[in-house]
Amino acid sequence: MLNKNFNLLWLSQIVSSIGNKLTIFGFPLVGIFIYDTTVLETSMITVMSFLPSLLFGTIIGVVVDRGDKRKIGIFTNIICFVISIVLFVFSIFKILPLWGFYILIFLLNTFLLFGSISFYSQIPMVVEKENLKKANYKMELSNSVIDTAAPSVGGIIFSLFSAPFIFIIDGITFILASFCQILLPCNIEKDRVKTKKKSIVHIREAYNYVFNNQILFRLAMSYFVLVFGIGIFQSIQFYYLSKVLNVAPYTIGMIISVGNIGLVVASISSLKISDTIGMGRTIILSFILYAVGFTLYYLSSEESTLSLFVATMCIGAAMPLYNVNATTIRQSNVDLSMLGSVSAIWRIFGRGLIPLGATIGGGISTYFSVGIAILISVIIVLLGLCIVLFSDELKKYT
């Protein structure tokens, strides 16, 4: 354990992640089995989930940098609780049209963006710089356990009840996360001098941080390409499994959960791997694992459940290897007063590209095939690999 304040933040992340992962699992299933969505309509769920990052990332980053991060986290969790309950009521009684379902997904993820940026901006305030990688390692480890268990739990909930009940659990976790953040000291930011610069100046300086720093620039460009490929894949993954490969919801949950053994193993070993080969080379390894995982999905058939397990293990292993090291590099290279805005840039051009990838993935799947869309996601991830592979700055970063 690092210190009491970090432990409270970490606990708030754990409980909120449990609900969030269940909801990520439940959104497409609600669309497919309650609204009978097509592949393009299903991909729009991913679009609505990540569009707030593209539209509001910059302004939210400025708000977080200038505001009280603790209060922002508390209030956004309460608002997300209300939205989750509304989603449950409207979905369970089927009184919400599909466009209304999209709007609520959009609103929920808008406020989650506030909470996420404020959360990661607080970590360097409660953890010494030399312990940042250890803190990120611990958070990624807990996330991996949740990622592994959540799909199976979600599949069981869907089989015994129905997907909308997942929203109830999500709502409860938001309240618990708020309680953890309430216990944080009110003066957690007492030693930080808040900027008085105009918003446009603040935003410009954040972009300068990224584009004038060779390490951050390479890291950013490769990440932007990576998440574009992930956006294509993620938007059609559940449709591909349920409609193309005819996998039952419970089995989908098992594939993702059992396959996420790779996530747990990589999370446990990420610190050792990073210390052995360096953070830059570990990031390169994560891109290779993403490419292998997507390729195995492309090559799978109805009978190849084992290859789907292996594919998910590769994708799961890639995530913590990338997140621990990329987040640590970013946090180490950015001043605390700018961390929220710089993190928002990653949201805008990173996660913000997922809606574009999801839209393109849905379009390709509609006019060509889902398999072709997955193949294109493989090619895009390989392009991202080239950016980090030929970066001497990142490879030397230890």
Side-chain angles (χ1 to χ4, degrees):
M1 297 298 178
L2 294 170
N3 60 60
K4 179 182 178 182
N5 291 337
F6 169 75
N7 291 337
L8 285 171
L9 276 174
W10 187 20
L11 182 58
S12 73
Q13 184 215 31
I14 289 173
V15 295
S16 62
S17 291
I18 292 172
N20 291 344
K21 299 301 182 182
L22 287 174
T23 301
I24 290 172
F25 180 83
F27 274 147
L29 293 181
V30 169
I32 293 169
F33 291 97
I34 291 183
Y35 291 97
D36 194 26
T37 52
T38 65
V39 62
L40 186 58
E41 289 171 336
T42 304
S43 70
M44 286 301 297
I45 293 174
T46 302
V47 172
M48 291 296 105
S49 296
F50 292 95
L51 189 58
S53 295
L54 181 62
L55 296 180
F56 309 130
T58 297
I59 189 62
I60 290 176
V62 173
V63 170
V64 169
D65 279 335
R66 293 169 179 263
D68 187 316
K69 297 172 180 58
R70 172 179 170 273
K71 290 181 179 179
I72 290 173
I74 293 170
F75 288 125
T76 53
N77 275 316
I78 293 173
I79 293 172
C80 288
F81 162 76
V82 174
I83 296 174
S84 296
I85 299 304
V86 172
L87 270 167
F88 167 74
V89 173
F90 282 4
S91 297
I92 198 70
F93 293 108
K94 300 181 181 179
I95 57 177
L96 186 69
L98 182 58
W99 61 264
F101 182 54
Y102 288 152
I103 290 175
L104 287 177
I105 293 174
F106 179 84
L107 288 175
L108 180 63
N109 283 279
T110 297
F111 287 103
L112 282 174
L113 184 58
F114 275 99
S116 178
I117 292 178
S118 65
F119 171 81
Y120 282 102
S121 296
Q122 287 180 84
I123 298 301
M125 296 179 182
V126 299
V127 176
E128 297 80 4
K129 190 173 183 178
E130 60 270 18
N131 289 326
L132 280 175
K133 185 163 72 170
K134 185 177 180 181
N136 289 318
Y137 162 75
K138 287 178 175 290
M139 291 186 292
E140 202 61 39
L141 181 59
S142 60
N143 276 337
S144 70
V145 175
I146 296 168
D147 283 339
T148 300
S152 287
V153 174
I156 292 172
I157 292 173
F158 184 91
S159 299
L160 296 179
F161 305 100
S162 64
F165 278 90
I166 290 174
F167 300 141
I168 287 287
I169 299 176
D170 198 18
I172 293 172
T173 61
F174 283 129
I175 292 297
L176 294 176
S178 291
F179 180 73
C180 292
Q181 292 174 339
I182 288 172
L183 295 178
L184 286 168
C186 298
N187 62 345
I188 192 173
E189 300 183 51
K190 62 180 175 64
D191 296 327
R192 185 174 69 90
V193 178
K194 296 184 180 180
T195 180
K196 296 181 180 179
K197 300 172 185 176
K198 293 182 178 180
S199 295
I200 188 66
V201 175
H202 192 84
I203 293 170
R204 185 172 66 245
E205 289 186 356
Y207 277 89
N208 286 337
Y209 254 108
V210 175
F211 293 103
N212 291 333
N213 183 303
Q214 285 297 314
I215 293 175
L216 290 179
F217 179 74
R218 287 278 188 169
L219 196 63
M221 292 300 103
S222 61
Y223 178 65
F224 302 162
V225 174
L226 172 65
V227 295
F228 181 60
I230 291 175
I232 294 176
F233 176 81
Q234 191 177 71
S235 67
I236 57 179
Q237 180 184 12
F238 281 88
Y239 189 93
Y240 179 70
L241 291 170
S242 62
K243 296 295 185 180
V244 177
L245 300 185
N246 298 313
V247 179
Y250 174 76
T251 307
I252 292 175
M254 289 300 299
I255 288 172
I256 296 176
S257 288
V258 175
N260 275 348
I261 291 173
L263 182 67
V264 176
V265 172
S267 296
I268 294 173
S269 58
S270 61
L271 204 60
K272 180 64 175 179
I273 293 173
S274 177
D275 289 341
T276 302
I277 66 176
M279 288 192 282
R281 289 185 175 87
T282 305
I283 290 173
I284 292 173
L285 176 60
S286 70
F287 274 83
I288 294 173
L289 289 172
Y290 270 119
V292 171
F294 289 177
T295 301
L296 288 175
Y297 258 88
Y298 172 72
L299 297 175
S300 294
S301 63
E302 292 186 30
E303 294 77 26
S304 54
T305 304
L306 179 60
S307 69
L308 291 172
F309 284 141
V310 175
T312 309
M313 287 179 66
C314 290
I315 296 170
M319 191 182 308
L321 293 179
Y322 180 87
N323 288 344
V324 169
N325 295 281
T327 302
T328 301
I329 291 174
R330 188 173 74 242
Q331 291 172 337
S332 301
N333 280 273
V334 180
D335 186 80
L336 290 179
S337 64
M338 301 294 296
L339 194 55
S341 296
V342 171
S343 298
I345 293 174
W346 253 255
R347 294 279 178 164
I348 297 165
F349 294 104
R351 293 169 67 91
L353 287 179
I354 289 183
L356 178 60
T359 303
I360 292 175
I364 293 172
S365 300
T366 299
Y367 293 105
F368 296 97
S369 71
V370 180
I372 292 297
I374 293 178
L375 180 60
I376 290 175
S377 71
V378 174
I379 295 172
I380 292 173
V381 170
L382 290 175
L383 292 176
L385 171 62
C386 290
I387 296 175
V388 294
L389 191 61
F390 298 106
S391 171
D392 292 332
E393 295 87 356
L394 275 177
K395 283 188 288 187
K396 293 177 181 178
Y397 208 96
T398 58

